[in-house]
Amino acid sequence: MKQFYIKAKSSLKEAPSQLQSPQKGQPQQKGDSPSSIQPPTPLDLFRFRYHHGVNLGSIFVLEQWLRGSMYEQGTKGASELDAVNASIAAVGLDATRKKWESHWASALSDSDFDFLINTAHCTSLRLPVGYFTLGPRFTANTPFGGLASQVYTNAWLAVQQLCLRLHANGIGVLLDMHALPGGANDAIHSGTSSNSSELWGNSSNLSLAKSCLLFIATDVTQGRIPGCIGIQLCNEAAFGARGMFDWYTDILQSISQIDASIPLYISDAWDLNAALSWAAEQNSAPSRGNLLVVDTHRYYTFTDADKSQTPQQIIARIPSELSEATALSGSVFDRGAAQVCVGEWSCVLDGDTWAKAQGASRDDLVRQFGNAQSQQWKKKASGCFFWTMKMDWMEGGEWGFVEMTKEGACLAPLELSLSFADVRGRIRDALQARDGRKAVDRKAHITYWSQTSPGKHFEHWRFEQGWDLGFSDAVAFFSMRANGGIRGSVEGADKIGGLEIWIRKRLRESGMRGGFVWEWEQGFRQGLAAFYTFAGV
């Protein structure tokens, strides 16, 4: 990829080069530092491209409605703990451990990989795990302690092996701490049927959860989870969770000492605006810690308000979704990076809603519903992960990624299915148009500010350098598959999805400081947009 940057630099006669100090060819600006910018790496692509993804489903954290086959007849309760205790009671520890290990090992078959790569064009997989998945050392004095803990002796090894297979096929992994000690919420997907969220305000549970996350971060840093796109600290935190942001702060500070490059995903606790505002502050200019992404979930089937509407009314709501992100994004320089990801979504609507369909085709409405969401998440989020991939009742209906993809409801972005020849042709067209477009954008920028603030000092060279880097980064992401940078890729190209946090990362690396960094950011955004316009994506 570095060779591609050098070749592009030569062919385009870039001046100054984005691959050297941003101050090259300019007087040293007070407060600026030397640039550390390098060409995007394959790991950058895994982490910052648009994530067209899916949740793995009920594999390492069981839910009976998805995996009834793992529950003994008459099991009381629908959680992972209920299933494992019932199995131990019925067939013993050894047989239970073998059953669970077989379940983990068979999570994704070769045909599943073929579907994910060649039909769904999936880039990423959200992998729900529990604290018990890390093994017996993390379950003492918890409901999973004692005999039940021995079932999970090899669970984390199974996670590592699955991640290796995913990486070998060009698919990234978001490690989602789905089930935390005590429960971040009161649902059974926290691992037990306690019907309470006892993580928050409980120092012992919070400490254990922290230990689990630091263990995972260390494994990622040491290369045992290749292609990890991020670590999700918490899934679906209870609304108004006491001390949540303080705990997030503690985890952020600790993981940044292990590896500050790992993106961290946080639950919005059903208050997206509050979570985005907090995350943007952490992702602000002075920050040197891990970049934060806010995980939000979008379902339209559970509330009375949803049930009262027709399918057509719900579909009409989708284009206004994630407006909170729109309000906070677009200016990392002064507002920080407000980045949202849709960690769960589906094509499910309630029966009461379907009863109001007024005779319209259900298949057509499901397709419209899925298409509207697919398109909106791509516009407003860094990625989305459909719920879900695997269940006993494949292909899953409107909960099923497989069925909804085959039915044309869940849409992959266009660029993911382009042939490599097409990718190279689009890049060639964009490169040929680059200089002319840059000149137009530069002139418009200078003219606007000269008219808006006549006589005021500006540093328009920052706009030019930002423009150069934005365009080149877009090319680098888009070309990486075709250039052999991603294992397992035989087609497709990628766009930068986590744009807000990517800009924050590049701004840090640029060394730029002071009151005119906004010009660099405006240039970056315009250079990036120029490439996508010329590439037709």
Side-chain angles (χ1 to χ4, degrees), residues 62 112 117 188 198-199 219 224 248 255 300 390 436 466:
L62 292 176
D112 290 329
I117 297 165
I188 58 100
E198 298 176 355
L199 171 69
D219 248 25
R224 298 190 184 97
Y248 285 163
I255 291 183
Y300 302 87
K390 299 300 290 287

Side-chain angles (χ1 to χ4, degrees), residues 451-468:
Q451 294 174 349
T452 301
S453 302
K456 182 178 178 180
H457 170 72
F458 290 97
E459 295 176 0
H460 296 315
W461 60 271
R462 295 186 189 270
F463 176 88
E464 291 188 64
Q465 290 194 353
W467 200 102
D468 287 339

Side-chain angles (χ1 to χ4, degrees), residues 239-393:
F239 178 77
R242 179 159 56 100
M244 181 182 72
F245 290 121
D246 290 339
W247 184 69
Y248 285 163
T249 299
D250 181 35
I251 301 301
L252 175 60
Q253 292 172 348
S254 296
I255 291 183
S256 69
Q257 295 174 15
I258 297 171
D259 187 344
S261 74
I262 305 170
L264 302 181
Y265 288 61
I266 62 170
S267 168
D268 68 353
W270 310 105
D271 187 345
L272 180 56
N273 190 64
L276 273 175
S277 297
W278 183 83
E281 183 178 352
Q282 310 311 305
N283 288 335
S284 63
S287 170
R288 305 297 298 182
N290 301 72
L291 293 165
L292 296 180
V293 180
V294 177
D295 169 67
T296 192
H297 296 174
R298 285 295 183 261
Y299 293 118
Y300 302 87
T301 187
F302 297 119
T303 69
D304 289 340
D306 291 333
K307 296 174 185 179
S308 71
Q309 292 189 314
T310 69
Q312 295 88 338
Q313 288 174 318
I314 291 177
I315 292 169
R317 288 164 48 190
I318 303 303
S320 62
E321 287 288 75
L322 304 186
S323 59
E324 301 93 336
T326 303
L328 290 169
S329 63
S331 184
V332 171
F333 165 70
D334 59 350
R335 294 201 292 264
Q339 193 73 69
V340 65
C341 177
V342 181
E344 294 182 18
W345 67 286
S346 79
C347 290
V348 176
L349 296 173
D350 188 75
D352 287 350
T353 293
W354 285 119
K356 302 177 181 69
Q358 302 169 339
S361 166
R362 177 165 176 154
D363 289 345
D364 287 346
L365 289 172
V366 167
R367 193 172 299 109
Q368 292 172 32
F369 184 39
N371 290 179
Q373 291 184 86
S374 297
Q375 293 160 2
Q376 185 68 0
W377 308 154
K378 187 182 179 187
K379 289 178 184 177
K380 300 296 184 181
S382 62
C384 64
F385 296 84
F386 194 94
W387 186 275
T388 190
M389 176 68 188
K390 299 300 290 287
M391 63 276 285
D392 283 344
W393 33 283

